[in-house]
Amino acid sequence: MARAKPPATPTASKPQMSRQGIERGIERLQDRISELEAFELSTVRRGNTPELEGLEVAIKDTLARCFGENTSTYNHFQGAADLTYYPRFWGDSTTPDYIGPIEKHIKTAVALLGQAQRTLKEDLADYEQESNGAPTVGAVSETLSRRVFVVHGHDDGSRETVARFLEKLGFEAVILHEQANQGRTVIEKVEAFGDVGFAVVLLTPDDEGCVRGGTPEPRARQNVILELGYFIGRLGRGKVCALKRGTLEIPSDYAGVVYESMEGNWQQALGRELQEAGHEIDWNKVMR
């Protein structure tokens, strides 16, 4: 299962950095990645070492410098600082395995910091476009499509709840089965109606699956996973929000990326993600 922590409510805006600041941020993130990749796992005797604690502090500091503390972007990547491991149960005759779990934590941290680097590189590209006379962020946001594609499985209740919430905020919820087929395959319909400004993907426990010989566990329908990847590729990760209901398997390639639980205040979380993507949000409607 993914180690996802519900992000705290952001209390600050992402800092506006100069071109030099963005470039330094990319370099600092690369330094943290290099330190993680060079960490000697054989030095681990328990679930922690001073070096591992130092890495956690350095990662938190770097993320705060790049994205500001307790912002939504910072919360996306803060799991990179979770490196230590302590077993829940101690056996009487066996020594707990520390190296395996810590190695997994380090790999997750490297992946998250790599995604943080890509975020800054996108900011750098935007900065260069603006410097060359491209439209400002404010001008672009006025033309953002308010059509939101809702990817769903068999949980009709979740689908309708999310669609009505989006409509309350002034968005058009695009639900595939409500669109005319016109002789097209499902993927052709997705492509035809995928010209949207944002996508919400509902991960609900509609299927069961496992590795060969394993125990079946709840998971989202495979079309949902396919469309999740499709919209991340088409729109970019910042314009896709995954909402999870219940306990289910999360795709390994998506592990470590923050998703929102529908058992919590998902309306506020989704509103933040839409705003972060450049949309204007009426927070009075979100809080009703």
Side-chain angles (χ1 to χ4, degrees):
M1 298 296 292
R3 297 184 301 108
K5 297 180 180 178
T9 302
T11 58
S13 300
K14 180 180 173 182
Q16 296 295 319
M17 294 193 293
S18 65
R19 175 174 179 171
Q20 291 77 12
I22 297 173
E23 290 173 341
R24 283 197 299 272
I26 294 171
E27 291 173 0
R28 288 189 179 112
L29 288 167
Q30 185 57 51
D31 289 341
R32 302 294 84 78
I33 291 173
S34 299
E35 290 165 358
L36 285 166
E37 291 175 337
F39 181 78
E40 185 53 62
L41 285 166
S42 62
T43 64
V44 176
R45 294 293 180 268
R46 294 289 182 178
N48 195 7
T49 68
E51 293 79 9
L52 208 58
E53 286 185 340
L55 273 175
E56 289 184 334
V57 172
I59 289 170
K60 289 179 181 178
D61 178 71
T62 299
L63 291 173
R65 286 169 179 261
C66 293
F67 305 111
E69 276 193 291
N70 203 23
T71 62
S72 59
T73 309
Y74 175 91
N75 287 334
H76 276 307
F77 303 121
Q78 67 176 338
D82 294 335
L83 302 176
T84 56
Y85 170 75
Y86 296 102
R88 294 182 181 179
F89 304 101
W90 294 77
D92 295 329
S93 58
T94 60
T95 301
D97 174 25
Y98 296 103
I99 292 180
I102 290 177
E103 182 179 21
K104 183 178 179 181
H105 291 181
I106 288 175
K107 288 180 180 179
T108 298
V110 168
L112 284 171
L113 294 179
Q115 291 178 2
Q117 272 191 316
R118 285 192 287 275
T119 297
L120 288 186
K121 289 176 181 178
E122 290 172 358
D123 289 346
L124 185 61
D126 292 340
Y127 185 94
E128 291 173 348
Q129 284 184 344
E130 291 173 15
S131 299
N132 293 329
T136 63
V137 173
V140 172
S141 65
E142 294 176 359
T143 61
L144 282 175
S145 170
R146 292 186 71 84
R147 300 175 75 241
V148 177
F149 201 105
V150 180
V151 177
H152 63 90
H154 287 169
D155 190 334
D156 295 342
S158 295
R159 179 197 68 208
E160 291 304 309
T161 298
V162 171
R164 301 296 83 78
F165 173 73
L166 290 168
E167 291 168 355
K168 183 174 71 173
L169 298 185
F171 292 90
E172 177 189 350
V174 178
I175 298 174
L176 197 63
H177 79 84
E178 295 178 353
Q179 316 304 321
N181 289 326
Q182 295 181 322
R184 291 173 292 202
T185 63
V186 172
I187 192 61
E188 287 172 338
K189 285 184 66 178
V190 171
E191 292 173 340
F193 294 100
D195 185 18
V196 295
F198 199 87
V200 179
V201 180
L202 304 182
L203 300 174
T204 54
D206 301 320
D207 282 359
E208 287 187 340
C210 61
V211 297
R212 182 179 298 175
T215 302
E217 295 182 354
R219 69 181 185 186
R221 292 198 41 90
Q222 297 302 283
N223 73 287
V224 173
I225 303 304
L226 173 65
E227 291 168 36
L228 168 64
Y230 173 83
F231 280 108
I232 288 177
R234 177 164 183 162
L235 302 177
R237 182 171 42 81
K239 294 183 179 179
V240 178
C241 179
L243 298 178
K244 168 180 166 291
R245 180 181 290 284
T247 301
L248 74 163
E249 177 189 70
I250 299 297
S252 59
D253 287 350
Y254 202 62
V257 179
V258 176
Y259 46 83
E260 305 297 341
S261 171
M262 293 193 74
E263 278 73 42
N265 191 354
W266 62 268
Q267 296 93 334
Q268 184 175 348
L270 178 54
R272 288 199 308 267
E273 295 300 319
L274 288 163
Q275 186 175 68
E276 188 76 14
H279 294 284
E280 292 185 4
I281 299 296
D282 185 342
W283 285 98
N284 289 325
K285 294 181 179 179
V286 173
M287 297 305 200
R288 287 177 188 171

